[in-house]
Amino acid sequence: MNNAATETYEEETAKTRSISLNELAYLRFKQALITLSYKPGDYLNTAQVMADLEMGRTPINQAIHRLAAEGLLQVIPRKGVMVAPLSIDDALELIEVRLANESLCIRLACPRVTAADIATLRALNLKIADACNQRDRIAMMMLDREFHHLLASIAANGRLSDILSVIHAQAQRFWATTLSQEIHMQEVIAEHNAIIDALSMQNMMAAEAATQEHILSFKRALLAG
């Protein structure tokens, strides 16, 4: 477990809202799953998870139910809790869903984006580039998650934001398997810049095309293995 990265993310989260123990357990558990600290297909011992995440049984059990509903865990009767496996078929389905929903997100965001939003997106992408240079995979993943969360916030559609949150969490587990490819890490930064540039000009067609290319780049990296 990368406790330093976990604490940094939680501290940033805590700055914006008060979080309960249940929410904190959910955030810690979700991050461990997204970054593959818990491996796909592994059965989890609840006591060990409690020790790893430094949380009590009730918050962990609440987190298990939420994460199972989001497709990151599977509760198997009489066997326990298993980390949801990864398969290429699942990844390809996710990519189809991402193409549809993230295209909608960027179309909604384009007329609503502000200069302050653009500045924040650029600053986030610089942090992603720094994490890439340091080969800090977990930091890069968490910052990417923040980047896409901001895009969803700019779109200002709560239902779409909820959908994208679940999709991104599932997709990031697949993305984690591609981040050993340095060329793909660099591609991500360039693709983010293309999205930001198009948004800054409020060019909806260019922003949507850049978003779709970003997703298809992930598909190519995944299939390249």
Side-chain angles (χ1 to χ4, degrees):
M1 302 290 295
N2 190 320
N3 290 331
T6 302
E7 288 167 5
T8 299
Y9 176 68
E10 287 157 2
E11 286 166 2
E12 290 300 315
T13 304
K15 289 177 184 176
T16 58
R17 59 191 171 95
S18 175
I19 49 179
S20 66
L21 287 176
N22 286 349
E23 185 72 7
L24 188 59
Y26 165 77
L27 288 172
R28 288 183 178 179
F29 206 161
K30 185 174 185 176
Q31 181 160 320
L33 293 168
I34 288 171
T35 58
L36 305 186
S37 293
Y38 295 128
K39 304 301 182 187
D42 282 356
Y43 280 91
L44 300 180
N45 178 291
T46 302
Q48 185 60 54
V49 174
M50 290 164 56
D52 290 342
L53 305 183
E54 300 179 343
M55 302 298 301
R57 184 173 299 277
T58 297
I60 291 297
N61 285 337
Q62 291 291 327
I64 287 170
H65 290 301
R66 287 181 67 180
L67 293 165
E70 293 180 7
L72 297 176
L73 292 174
Q74 294 179 0
V75 179
I76 313 293
R78 294 182 296 279
K79 288 189 176 181
V81 178
M82 182 178 76
V83 181
L86 297 178
S87 76
I88 289 296
D89 287 343
D90 287 341
L92 295 177
E93 287 184 359
L94 270 172
I95 287 164
E96 290 177 346
V97 174
R98 285 189 66 191
L99 284 167
N101 285 278
E102 293 189 44
S103 292
L104 172 59
C105 174
I106 210 72
R107 290 198 301 271
L108 292 174
C110 203
R112 296 170 176 167
V113 70
T114 66
D117 293 329
I118 295 297
T120 303
L121 288 167
R122 291 199 189 282
L124 274 172
N125 208 34
L126 286 173
K127 290 181 180 179
I128 293 171
D130 185 57
C132 176
N133 290 335
Q134 296 182 39
R135 302 196 64 78
D136 188 338
R137 180 176 63 89
I138 291 179
M140 191 174 179
M141 290 180 68
M142 294 304 101
L143 289 163
D144 179 82
R145 183 165 141 198
E146 191 174 346
F147 182 93
H148 285 281
H149 177 74
L150 178 55
L151 289 177
S153 297
I154 296 167
N157 184 305
R159 291 184 184 276
L160 179 60
S161 183
D162 289 344
I163 292 168
L164 289 173
S165 178
V166 173
I167 293 170
H168 283 144
Q170 294 178 2
Q172 277 203 306
R173 294 203 306 147
F174 292 97
W175 191 47
T177 68
T178 71
L179 286 180
S180 59
Q181 305 172 25
E182 187 169 354
I183 187 169
H184 179 57
M185 295 170 74
Q186 296 292 342
E187 286 171 348
V188 167
I189 297 158
E191 290 154 10
H192 283 177
N193 278 327
I195 293 170
I196 298 167
D197 289 344
L199 282 174
S200 70
M201 296 181 289
Q202 294 189 304
N203 185 330
M204 189 179 294
M205 289 183 63
E208 185 172 0
T211 297
Q212 291 181 347
E213 173 55 26
H214 181 45
I215 298 166
L216 293 174
S217 170
F218 159 66
K219 179 180 179 180
R220 290 191 296 270
L222 184 67
L223 294 177

